[in-house]
Structure formats: structure tokens, C-alpha cells
Amino acid sequence: MFAPMPHCRTLSEVYLDNNATTPVLASAAAAVLQTMQQDFGNPSSSHSTGIKAKAALEQTRSLARQLLGADHGDIIFTSGATEGIQTSVISALQAIRARGLAGPDTLLLYGATEHKAVPESLKHWNTLLQVNASIVAIPVLQNGLLDLAALAELLPRAALVCTMAANNETGVRQDLHALEHLIRKIKPDAYWLVDCVQALGKMPLQLAATTIDYAPFSGHKLYGPKGIGFLYVRAGAPYRPLITGGGQEGGLRSGTENLPGIAALNAIFTELLKTGQSQFCAEEVLWHYRTQLLAALREVFPALVLNSDAPYIIPTTINFSVPGFFAKDILDLFDAAGIRISSGSACSSKVTGSFVLDAMGLARWRSEGAIRLSFGPAMTAAECTEACQRISSLASVVRQHCLVLTDADPLNVPDADGLYQFKYDACCSYLLICAQSRQAIIIDPVLPLAERFVNIIQGQGLSLLAVLDTHLHETTNQAAVLLRQLLALTTEQDPLGWPVALSELKLGAYQLQRLATPGHSAQAFSFLLHYQGKLKAAFVGDLLLPGGIGRTDMPGGDATVLQQSLQKLTQYLYPETLLFSSHDYAQRFVTTLAQAMRETPLLEPILAGNALETWQHTLNEQAQVLQQASSHLCGLVEVSVQDAIALVQPTALVELLAQQDLIVLDVREPYEQSAGALIHYLPAAAEVLQVPLSRLCDAVLHGKLQPEQPLLLVCRSGNRSLLAARVLRRLGFHQLWNLQGGVALLS
């Protein structure tokens, strides 16, 4: 898994995701190596080597006490913060149960913006230990601070309160003094857990001077290796070991101690405690770095909006959103340029939107567009300068391409032309552009994409002919109405946007005709797309979906009418005609009549006696071709980085593909290509064709991609390219390879 990979030309990495994890400090790495190779004794051994190991362990514990101002209480070494949280929760819940406080009238409180490790631990152990208390989130204000008024109302019934010192997504720093005053005034016997993972090295922590009962820490968030952490437990606070066995850590946490990890903490603590020259920056220096980085970000995104800001934050976290942008687009752009940032917590990076910003009551677009840039307290001036320069260099890329909301083509380029697919959740919208006539038509727009369409039309200087909907519902046509207003479309239209004076719409070589196809709703149409006089595609709304027949349970839906509309539509289509729906629930992008017949058996009786008989033989012929192809080809193959490098070598290619030329299909967006072209990663012999995912069907429609072409598909992570490969496979392509891990593993 960790075998060396063949590298070609690569971009240097600028790492700005330190809240997720940090590189190991050089002195800490040296301490780890020294401990693993020389000072490797078991602290439980009674001989000299073990005694030395025990002394080193206790010295690190002593340094931790100095750093935290914890001259009393326990410092317990753990595998990380998650273990510390679990241990604290178990200890508190067992004490709560022993005090007879079990049941729904007892509250377990946690901050609404807390890391998921805390509420999930509460839910798990509350059930497992049968405490059955009520778990309640403490609301936060718009600035991210806990709502003290709301907390005051909850505290009389609270047995455990869980808060953070500093938030991992926003950097919001809670007022621990105010929290302590409130908790101890209203409910002095409540246990108090404070997640201090993001606080160490960034804000002072004098724990012994507080009444905090439990404070977990993690090494890898502060330049230590993964797998080491520690837990502070206040003297007198209830404690039960999570792990028992050999009685290590004074019986508080069994298992042979991770001495290399503890040695790394020793080096880090020593550096933090230095009063003179230290690798860790003073707070004013960190604020200066933040100012520089923020200035660079504003060069790229002048409309940037901060989701958290001074005086409520630690300086090392910048959380921002940009109007009109989803986080994924910015993340892809920065990643292509070798800049590592994140769209939120690393533990929740696959979730759309930020629950932290949602809890703060910020607008949904800010949540869905939230980006977290985080640097560490040991950042150097040179590293800050390099990061700022790399970020600033993206300003020209953004101006050239104008980022988008989803996996859609940026379009702000001179050759914007053809069909573009936009997706928002399961909703599908389409934009048809004719570069020659400078005209455009929008089909089935949705509100979250309206701003994007306006930017495209105005930025490109296009003449908008129509904004069309395939069907009429009470709420689904709001985007079309808004777009017609914003873009000052003055031609007289019917309720679905079709110009009343025209029987067909023409955009250069494109012609669009409409066909009444009700059934999903009372008013519904399909739009037949011709190119150079030939039928190429149809926009069928919800009449026919990729993988199924449209719903008829909506207002105005009628199954009999829908069947009649399907029969009517097929009279105009060919088996290979591309069919675009207004919804795509299975990430299939497109279908054809031939594919629909294979995937939806219900279609055959619906179409029987109509168009089915005229092209059934064509379906059979296509099935035979695919069957023959699959007899000697795998269809879709996942390849490793090493295999991919071999594939693009001419000799290996000839041997593998019988003298056919392999094409590397880059499905990343153009702005990613501009920020980090594949030539940085692949040998010069590779032939690269860029077809963004949103332009994939357009490439098929115009014959730019042919089913017989052998294709190696590549994107940033391997996910979009795998999706594209599946789309192509459904369209009859049978020589497809997907690069596992994508460009990320090549860099």
C-alpha cells in the first residue's frame, strides 16, 4: 500500500490544513527515531533500560503539567483525543448513574458546534450504560459563541456539560471563564468536559486554576505523530479506565505506553515552554500571518465573506465563503495548484454543508461554500510568504475561468460552445450555447444555479433566446421566472418559457423543437435537439429518468397519459438518441432508448406495437456487439498509479491494446487544468484530452469521443473519473480504465 510510486514533474505542496493534522516537528521526529532505535525500553520493565524509559515518560508528564499549569490532577497518555473523550464520557456517565440521576429528566449538554466525537460518544455510551439521559445541544450565537442565556435555562437539569476551547472548523474561541462562572453558579456539581484539541499552542490554558473536570488533547494536531494524545483529569473528578489490563499509567490506562509518541510530545512541550527563541510563534505573529493570508485570498476572491472573525477566534483558522461558489470548486482549484485546504472538518469532509455554520444560523450558501484554511503555530515567515504567493497566483486563473457551483464547465473562455450539464443535488439543468451566433438557451434551471447562469450569459455577452421548463409545477418554475427578470428577456412566452411566436428555436447549427408529453404533470413538453439537421438528443423532463419511468404521483400526474406520451415520443427518436432528464437520482447523467429498454423492463409493454418493433432489431445488434466486446475486454478497469504510468508508455500500450492509441481523458474542470495541468504528472508521451464531466455528454453528442476509443480517465481523486467511466460504459464504451486515487496520488 505504501510502495514508492513513480513520479514525474510535480508541483510543490503548500499545506494549509493544519486543523486536520500537522507535519511532525523535526525535533519530534528525531525523538521518535531515537526512542524506537536506542531508548526503546518498556517503562514497566525493572531493569536499567526500562527505568530510563519510565524516567523519560514521567519527564514528559511533568512538562505537560508545566504547559497546562496543572500542578495537580492526572495527566494520562492516550492514543489521541477520541480515546480521551470516550474515557471522560464513560467516567462521568458512570458517576451520574451512581448518583441516581439516570433518566430523561437528566440532561447531557454539548455545544451545537462541537466536534462529532463528543455528541456521538454521548449517544453511544448513554445507551450502552443505560443512563438514558436526554442529550441536548447548547445553541450558539451567530459569532459562534455558546448562547449563555440558553445554557442558563438548561443547566438546572444538567449532569454533564461538554464544550470546546477552540472550534476545529471556525477557530471560534469559547470564553471559558464566562462558562465556568455560569456553570458553577447554577449547577456546581455538573461535570465539565472541555475539548482542548485545537487550543494547545494557540491560547493559554491554566487548567489547574479552573474547575474543568476533563480536557483531552491530540498530538497530531500540534506537530506530533498520530496515535498519541493525553487527557487531563481534575483532582477529585470521577474516573474509570476505558482500557484495563496490565495496569500501566498508574492503573488509569492499561497497555504498554507509546513511548516514541510520548518522546515526540516531550520535544514539542520543550519547544512550547521555551522563553526565548522558539519554533512556535507568539500570538501577534500568528495574527500577522493571518492578515497576510487573508489579503492573498481577497486578491483571488474580492467578495470573500468571513464566517468567523476577531475577536472571537484564534488566529490560525480562516473560515470563509464566496458568493456563487460551492466549497468543492474552490477546493478543486486550490488542490490542482498544490495548495491543501479543506471544506470543513476532515471527519465530515464528504458532507454537503457545514453543521457548524448551520448551527451559527448563517445562510445556507455560506455553509455549502465554506472553506477552512488553517496554519500551525510553528509556521515560518518563509512558509507564509510562499503560501501567499501561491494563492495570489490563482487570481488570474479565476478571472480567466470564473468558477462554478458544481461540476459544470466554467464557460468564461472564448470557445464556450455546445451543451453544458449542471447538477444541484438530484436536479439537472442544461445550457445550450452556440459560439458562432453567440446565443444561448437555458433548460430546467433551479434556483441555486440561477446566479451562475446570470454570470455565464452576461460574462460571455450571449444573447438569451429562452429559459425553458419541461413541465409546470407550483414551485419548480421559480428559477426560470427569476432568470427572465434578471436577464431582461422581453419576448412573449407561454408559462413554460417557449416564445409564443416561434414553432422552433434556432441557435446556429442547433434547432430545438418541442413536443407535448404530459403525464408526469398536466403541462409538460419534451424538447428535440437537432444538430446540422440530425436529431441528436431530447430533453424529456421527468417523463423518462435515467434508470426508470417518470413519477405520476405529483399534481397533474396520470399514468395512462404518461404511457401515451412515451409512445408518442419514441416515434421521433432513434435507439442511440441521448435523453436528458430534469432529475438524476443515480448519477447516470443521461440515458438512451436502447439503454432505457435494458434497464427498465416496464418500457417494453408500454412501447409494444409502436416504435418498439421498428428498432428492436437495432437493440439486438447493439447487444451482440457489446457481448462480443465484453468477451475479451473487462469494460471498466480500475488501475493503480504504477499501472497508469505503464499504460501511457507506447510499448506497453501497443502490447496491451493491440496497437490502439490510449487517450488520457482528463475530466477535471478547466480551472483545475489551468492551476495544475496533467503534464506536471504524466510522461510527455501521454496524449491528454480534456473533457470536463459536465461536457462529457456533449463530447459524445458531437462524436468527439467514440465507443471504440481506449480511454484512461483521470480526475483529482478518482471519483469523478469513475463516474464518467460508468456513464460512458452505459453509452457503449467498452475500453475504459479509471485511475484510482486520481491526480492526488501522482503528486
Side-chain angles (χ1 to χ4, degrees):
M1 180 177 178
F2 294 98
M5 294 183 293
H7 279 194
C8 301
R9 294 164 294 189
T10 60
L11 293 169
S12 61
E13 181 176 84
V14 173
Y15 186 80
L16 295 171
D17 193 21
N18 286 259
N19 283 11
T21 193
T22 56
V24 177
L25 205 67
S27 58
V32 169
L33 190 61
Q34 171 73 19
T35 305
M36 293 176 70
Q37 296 183 333
Q38 302 296 326
D39 305 326
F40 52 82
N42 188 325
S44 297
S45 298
S46 58
H47 49 63
S48 296
T49 303
I51 292 172
K52 292 178 183 178
K54 180 70 171 178
L57 186 153
E58 293 304 329
Q59 183 197 30
T60 306
R61 202 187 317 272
S62 177
L63 291 175
R65 290 188 182 281
Q66 294 179 50
L67 191 63
L68 301 179
D71 53 355
H72 52 270
D74 291 311
I75 300 291
I76 306 158
F77 291 111
T78 65
S79 63
T82 299
E83 182 190 329
I85 291 169
Q86 307 288 314
T87 303
S88 303
V89 168
I90 288 174
S91 299
L93 290 182
Q94 287 184 321
I96 290 168
R97 188 174 63 179
R99 289 165 53 188
L101 297 177
D105 289 338
T106 297
L107 302 185
L108 308 178
L109 305 180
Y110 69 95
T113 56
E114 197 82 18
H115 189 285
K116 289 294 186 184
V118 171
E120 292 304 315
S121 178
L122 289 174
K123 295 172 188 175
H124 178 76
W125 294 111
N126 183 46
T127 300
L128 202 64
L129 296 177
Q130 297 183 345
V131 177
N132 300 320
S134 298
I135 300 173
V136 179
I138 308 167
V140 297
L141 305 174
Q142 196 166 50
N143 57 19
L145 294 179
L146 289 167
D147 186 337
L148 297 184
L151 176 59
E153 292 184 7
L154 295 169
L155 275 173
R157 296 169 54 202
L160 173 62
V161 181
C162 302
T163 64
M164 304 183 87
N167 188 269
N168 54 302
E169 287 194 33
T170 61
V172 170
R173 171 180 174 170
Q174 294 297 332
D175 188 342
L176 297 181
H177 178 74
L179 285 170
E180 180 176 32
H181 176 76
L182 186 66
I183 293 170
R184 297 315 176 198
K185 176 183 177 182
I186 298 177
K187 197 65 184 300
D189 61 345
Y191 303 118
W192 186 18
L193 163 66
V194 178
D195 176 354
C196 292
V197 169
Q198 298 293 340
L200 193 60
K202 305 168 188 176
M203 58 184 282
L205 292 169
Q206 297 297 313
L207 295 185
T210 73
T211 57
I212 294 172
D213 293 296
Y214 310 98
F217 297 84
S218 177
H220 79 99
K221 305 290 187 177
L222 192 70
Y223 302 101
K226 298 168 182 64
I228 186 64
F230 61 101
L231 173 67
Y232 163 80
V233 181
R234 184 172 64 89
Y239 182 85
R240 286 289 186 92
L242 173 63
I243 302 174
T244 62
Q248 288 85 355
E249 290 293 279
L252 300 178
R253 198 270 190 186
S254 294
T256 302
E257 294 91 344
N258 178 3
L259 204 61
I262 293 170
L265 292 182
N266 189 301
I268 294 166
F269 295 164
T270 299
E271 197 68 32
L272 282 169
L273 287 166
K274 285 183 178 179
T275 56
Q277 190 69 25
S278 171
Q279 288 182 264
F280 289 93
C281 303
E283 187 174 0
E284 60 268 21
V285 175
L286 297 178
W287 281 109
H288 177 65
Y289 289 161
R290 174 188 173 84
T291 300
Q292 290 181 285
L293 289 164
L294 191 53
L297 287 169
R298 292 193 189 279
E299 285 185 47
V300 184
F301 306 113
L304 175 151
V305 175
L306 288 173
N307 296 317
S308 56
D309 201 2
Y312 308 110
I313 61 170
I314 54 175
T316 52
T317 301
I318 300 176
N319 190 296
F320 68 93
S321 302
V322 183
F325 294 75
F326 274 171
K328 182 183 181 303
D329 305 300
I330 299 176
L331 181 64
D332 287 345
L333 170 69
F334 276 57
D335 208 59
I339 306 169
R340 312 306 181 215
I341 55 176
S342 72
S343 56
S345 169
C347 303
S348 306
S349 59
K350 293 184 179 180
V351 178
T352 300
S354 165
F355 79 92
V356 172
L357 300 190
D358 291 341
M360 291 166 61
L362 301 186
R364 186 59 185 170
W365 70 265
R366 292 172 70 172
S367 174
E368 293 181 334
I371 289 292
R372 181 187 70 184
L373 183 156
S374 54
F375 59 97
M379 175 180 256
T380 66
E383 289 171 341
C384 184
T385 298
E386 181 184 1
C388 290
Q389 290 174 346
R390 187 72 68 83
I391 293 170
S392 297
S393 70
L394 293 176
S396 59
V397 176
V398 171
R399 284 194 298 268
Q400 177 189 359
H401 291 291
C402 186
L403 282 174
V404 296
L405 284 173
T406 57
D407 276 327
D409 191 290
L411 299 179
N412 193 17
V413 290
D415 60 349
D417 190 28
L419 180 64
Y420 296 80
Q421 292 179 274
F422 294 77
K423 296 193 70 178
Y424 181 81
D425 291 337
C427 299
C428 303
S429 299
Y430 304 91
L431 176 64
L432 183 63
I433 294 178
C434 176
Q436 182 179 6
S437 66
R438 308 302 302 160
Q439 295 174 312
I441 293 175
I442 301 171
I443 300 173
D444 282 335
V446 292
L447 277 175
L449 295 172
E451 181 178 353
R452 176 61 191 142
F453 283 123
V454 171
N455 291 341
I456 294 169
I457 300 300
Q458 294 180 341
Q460 287 286 305
L462 300 173
S463 173
L464 183 62
L465 293 188
V467 183
L468 305 175
D469 282 307
T470 53
H471 52 281
L472 187 64
H473 285 313
E474 292 181 0
T475 59
T476 55
N477 307 102
Q478 296 176 358
V481 173
L482 177 63
L483 283 169
R484 294 183 199 116
Q485 293 173 348
L486 293 176
L487 295 169
L489 190 59
T490 58
T491 57
E492 185 181 357
Q493 312 109 16
D494 67 14
L496 291 175
W498 189 272
V500 295
L502 299 177
S503 60
E504 67 176 15
L505 292 173
K506 293 184 178 181
L507 297 85
Y510 294 100
Q511 297 87 40
L512 205 63
Q513 298 175 331
R514 69 171 181 169
L515 182 70
T517 51
H520 170 69
S521 60
Q523 290 191 56
F525 290 86
S526 294
F527 304 118
L528 307 179
L529 178 64
H530 299 261
Y531 180 72
Q532 294 181 342
K534 296 181 180 179
L535 179 64
K536 290 290 187 178
F539 301 94
V540 297
D542 283 337
L543 180 69
L544 184 66
L545 305 178
I549 300 172
R551 294 171 57 183
T552 58
D553 59 340
M554 306 293 287
D558 188 302
T560 301
V561 175
L562 183 138
Q563 177 177 339
Q564 294 170 351
S565 293
L566 281 170
Q567 293 173 340
K568 178 180 179 181
L569 177 65
T570 55
Q571 297 177 11
Y572 295 85
L573 305 180
Y574 302 103
E576 67 277 8
T577 303
L578 299 180
L579 303 179
F580 297 102
S581 304
S582 57
H583 287 88
D584 178 16
Y585 298 100
Q587 289 281 55
R588 294 182 176 180
F589 277 67
V590 70
T591 191
T592 65
L593 276 178
Q595 187 66 30
M597 286 292 296
R598 287 190 288 269
E599 295 177 342
T600 312
L602 287 175
L603 272 179
E604 185 166 340
I606 290 176
L607 302 179
N610 192 46
L612 178 64
E613 296 178 358
T614 65
W615 49 266
Q616 184 66 57
H617 67 282
T618 307
L619 292 178
N620 294 335
E621 291 176 359
Q622 289 183 353
Q624 292 175 4
V625 170
L626 289 174
Q627 184 176 5
Q628 293 173 359
S630 63
S631 65
H632 64 278
L633 291 168
C634 295
L636 172 57
V637 180
E638 294 269 23
V639 297
S640 66
V641 171
Q642 292 91 337
D643 293 336
I645 294 296
L647 282 175
V648 296
Q649 302 295 336
T651 54
L653 177 62
V654 170
E655 180 180 347
L656 181 64
L657 299 174
Q659 299 182 346
Q660 295 188 69
D661 292 328
L662 180 71
I663 296 175
V664 178
L665 193 65
D666 183 1
V667 301
R668 298 180 303 158
E669 299 307 315
Y671 57 81
E672 295 176 74
Q673 185 74 13
S674 296
L678 280 183
I679 59 172
H680 292 297
Y681 311 104
L682 296 177
E687 179 184 351
V688 179
L689 177 63
Q690 190 189 15
V691 178
L693 186 59
S694 57
R695 299 278 285 151
L696 189 67
C697 292
D698 180 80
V700 175
L701 186 148
H702 288 98
K704 297 175 183 177
L705 296 176
Q706 297 295 331
E708 64 273 8
Q709 288 177 313
L711 301 171
L712 171 64
L713 289 90
V714 179
C715 71
R716 180 175 67 88
S717 64
N719 294 328
R720 280 176 289 173
S721 54
L722 179 60
L723 178 58
R726 288 172 174 167
V727 172
L728 291 176
R729 190 179 185 186
R730 293 177 64 251
L731 293 176
F733 288 71
H734 49 265
Q735 298 189 73
L736 302 169
W737 286 261
N738 178 56
L739 179 59
Q740 293 177 333
V743 176
L745 295 187
L746 290 172
S747 58

